[in-house]
Amino acid sequence: DTGVSQDPRHKITKRGQNVTFRCDPISEHNRLYWYRQTLGQGPEFLTYFQNEAQLEKSRLLSDRFSAERPKGSFSTLEIQRTEQGDSAMYLCASRTENEQYFGPGTRLTVT
Amino acid sequence: DAKTTQPNSMESNEEEPVHLPCNHSTISGTDYIHWYRQLPSQGPEYVIHGLTSNVNNRMASLAIAEDRKSSTLILHRATLRDAAVYYCILRPNAGGTSYGKLTFGQGTILTVHP
């Protein structure tokens, strides 16, 4: 399968713990996005990478959130000191000129 | 970002055409109209996009009003697999600082009856 992959697909964690998600984009795509989606809402933009450079961050991305894309390949999204409000689906997408290809998402539940 | 307005939900019968409307009265001259859909428990999936002219692809057709203030996504023969949330999104031209990010609304929940 050559689509966007995300790992893990599901994560349950206790409040206050740190979590890290991984996204592997389609190999030839140099543009990568992270979105967050809560129940009943459309996805919300979090951050954008072009190659290894993080070019835009939403104000939704508090200082507890950090994203990296070393070497411009896979990307990681880390949430420190998780809160119950962080419970959501975290989606990664990579992009051609006209289309964004989304991964299946990581569903985070903070208890 | 320019906003779009879509009905919360629509219903269709299998094998019938479906017309999903979208209003975008504040669209700017360089905004592309994109449609994505999200099937249950999956990430969004690109459907179609256009700028001014009507567009067709293997999944759907996109009809764009002459003044570009509205558009309609047309599924020619709905199947049960088309049941999804459909999002109409205005994507600024990739130049500048938008970086092609997508601003999703709540979309239209399409139910297809057998």
Side-chain angles (χ1 to χ4, degrees), chain A residues 9-62:
Chain A
R9 295 290 307 276
H10 303 272
K11 179 70 177 179
I12 300 173
T13 191
K14 291 186 177 180
R15 189 176 54 188
Q17 298 294 305
N18 299 343
V19 293
T20 300
F21 311 140
R22 177 180 170 123
C23 170
D24 286 272
I26 294 171
S27 58
E28 61 267 28
H29 292 180
N30 62 357
R31 304 168 199 174
L32 185 147
Y33 303 79
W34 284 97
Y35 294 83
R36 181 174 70 185
Q37 185 173 27
T38 54
L39 205 60
Q41 304 296 316
E44 297 173 291
F45 168 78
L46 291 179
T47 191
Y48 165 69
F49 287 87
Q50 186 162 318
N51 299 309
E52 67 274 11
Q54 188 175 19
L55 296 184
E56 187 174 0
K57 293 193 291 186
S58 163
R59 62 179 182 276
L60 293 175
L61 216 65
S62 76

Side-chain angles (χ1 to χ4, degrees), chain A residues 4 19 34 36 39 47-49 59 64 68 81 83 86-88 90 95 99 102-103:
Chain A
V4 178
V19 293
W34 284 97
R36 181 174 70 185
L39 205 60
T47 191
Y48 165 69
F49 287 87
R59 62 179 182 276
R64 296 184 298 106
E68 294 183 341
R81 306 180 303 280
E83 301 173 356
D86 297 331
S87 295
Y90 290 84
R95 187 191 138 199
E99 302 177 30
F102 284 81

Side-chain angles (χ1 to χ4, degrees), chain B:
Chain B
D1 293 338
K3 296 191 70 170
T4 62
T5 303
Q6 299 178 252
N8 289 334
S9 63
M10 291 186 66
E11 297 186 16
S12 173
N13 294 319
E14 205 174 7
E15 304 288 313
E16 291 184 354
V18 181
H19 290 231
L20 296 164
C22 181
N23 288 321
H24 31 78
S25 59
T26 60
I27 190 171
S28 77
T30 56
D31 286 343
Y32 286 82
I33 302 161
H34 282 243
W35 284 81
Y36 281 75
R37 71 180 185 180
Q38 188 170 21
L39 280 64
S41 302
Q42 295 188 26
E45 172 189 32
Y46 169 84
V47 177
I48 200 167
H49 80 282
L51 184 62
T52 57
S53 302
N54 295 343
V55 184
N56 300 297
N57 67 19
R58 63 174 180 81
M59 290 182 69
S61 295
L62 177 59
I64 301 173
E66 196 169 333
D67 63 5
R68 299 205 334 122
K69 293 186 177 181
S70 65
S71 61
T72 302
L73 179 71
I74 302 165
L75 307 179
H76 295 285
R77 291 178 65 201
T79 70
L80 297 178
R81 290 175 296 174
D82 291 322
V85 181
Y86 286 78
Y87 297 100
C88 170
I89 300 165
L90 300 183
R91 201 207 80 187
N93 190 310
T97 59
S98 72
Y99 300 121
K101 68 176 183 276
L102 300 175
T103 302
F104 290 81
Q106 291 195 306
T108 296
I109 301 171
L110 175 66
T111 301
V112 180
H113 299 289

